[in-house]
């Protein structure tokens, strides 16, 4: 039976960094995928031109991954915490109600304040009541740099208990990530192609294949 896979992405590029290979894999297997991007590079910290650039980059990345269903909430980056909480919860809930997901992937509550707030709001819609009873699995994904900058043992550590084999999709993930020219570098730095390949190899090596993407299961049912 095909699954309906919902990805909650704090910003354009988080979805590809965290699970671009898995997205391509889900789609190749005939599953429906929807990406909801909560925040963007908008005023007052960024210009409208910055937002339009990342919006175009995201759509190009989605095209490479095969994603046809997506939406952008357009909340200014780093200011999600200042957005009325009930409005954020309601916006996310509307997508849950219309898409009725079976798998949900949300950002790990890491160094970035947007990731933490969005993690909490996403879990509100994941409660096992109403349509939430149809959700078979909720997973948190890691995002290069942000997830690995938490203070060990003071804040939650990302300890994966699920790894998806993306051996056949690593090239697709890299090609999609290269669309984010304004965000990603080729060499060096925590959000580079080199770092992405290294992390994918490491996660794969932990599970007996070449390339992997790691997740922390929040809730699952059989």
């Amino acid at each position: 039976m095909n699954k309906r896979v919902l990805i909650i992405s704090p910003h354009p590029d988080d979805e590809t960094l965290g699970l671009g290979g898995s997205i391509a894999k889900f789609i190749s297997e005939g599953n429906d995928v929807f990406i909801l991007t909560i925040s963007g590079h908008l005023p007052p910290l960024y210009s409208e031109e910055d937002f339009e650039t990342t919006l175009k980059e995201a759509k190009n990345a989605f095209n490479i991954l095969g994603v046809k269903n997506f939406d952008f909430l357009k909340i200014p980056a780093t200011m999600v915490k200042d957005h009325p909480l009930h409005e954020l919860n309601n916006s996310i809930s509307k997508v849950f109600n219309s898409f009725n997901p079976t798998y949900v992937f949300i950002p790990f509550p890491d160094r970035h304040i947007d990731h933490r707030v969005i993690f909490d709001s996403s879990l509100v819609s994941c409660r096992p009541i109403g349509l939430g009873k149809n959700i078979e699995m909720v997973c948190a994904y890691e995002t290069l740099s942000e997830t690995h900058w938490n203070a060990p043992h003071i804040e939650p550590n990302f300890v994966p208990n699920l790894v998806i084999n993306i051996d056949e999709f690593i090239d697709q993930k890299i090609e999609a990530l290269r669309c984010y020219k304004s965000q990603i570098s080729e060499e060096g730095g925590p959000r580079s192609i080199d770092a992405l390949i290294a992390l994918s190899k490491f996660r794969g090596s932990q599970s007996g294949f070449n390339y992997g993407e790691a997740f922390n299961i929040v809730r699952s049912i059989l």
Side-chain angles (χ1 to χ4, degrees), residues 185-189 192-194:
S185 64
E186 282 288 326
E187 300 177 0
S192 65
I193 299 297
D194 280 352

Side-chain angles (χ1 to χ4, degrees), residues 29-47:
E29 295 171 343
N31 301 294
D32 296 327
V33 172
F34 190 104
I35 297 177
L36 176 64
T37 305
I38 304 295
S39 182
H41 297 77
L42 287 157
L45 296 181
Y46 303 90
S47 68

Side-chain angles (χ1 to χ4, degrees), residues 21-78:
S22 298
I23 291 171
K25 183 172 187 173
F26 286 136
I27 292 172
S28 76
E29 295 171 343
N31 301 294
D32 296 327
V33 172
F34 190 104
I35 297 177
L36 176 64
T37 305
I38 304 295
S39 182
H41 297 77
L42 287 157
L45 296 181
Y46 303 90
S47 68
E48 289 286 350
E49 290 76 15
D50 290 330
F51 176 72
E52 291 301 323
T53 294
T54 54
L55 189 67
K56 182 178 180 180
E57 291 173 343
K59 290 179 178 179
N60 289 338
F62 293 171
N63 185 57
I64 289 170
L65 296 176
V67 177
K68 300 190 183 319
N69 300 314
F70 52 85
D71 197 8
F72 297 85
L73 291 189
K74 301 179 181 178
I75 299 173
T78 75

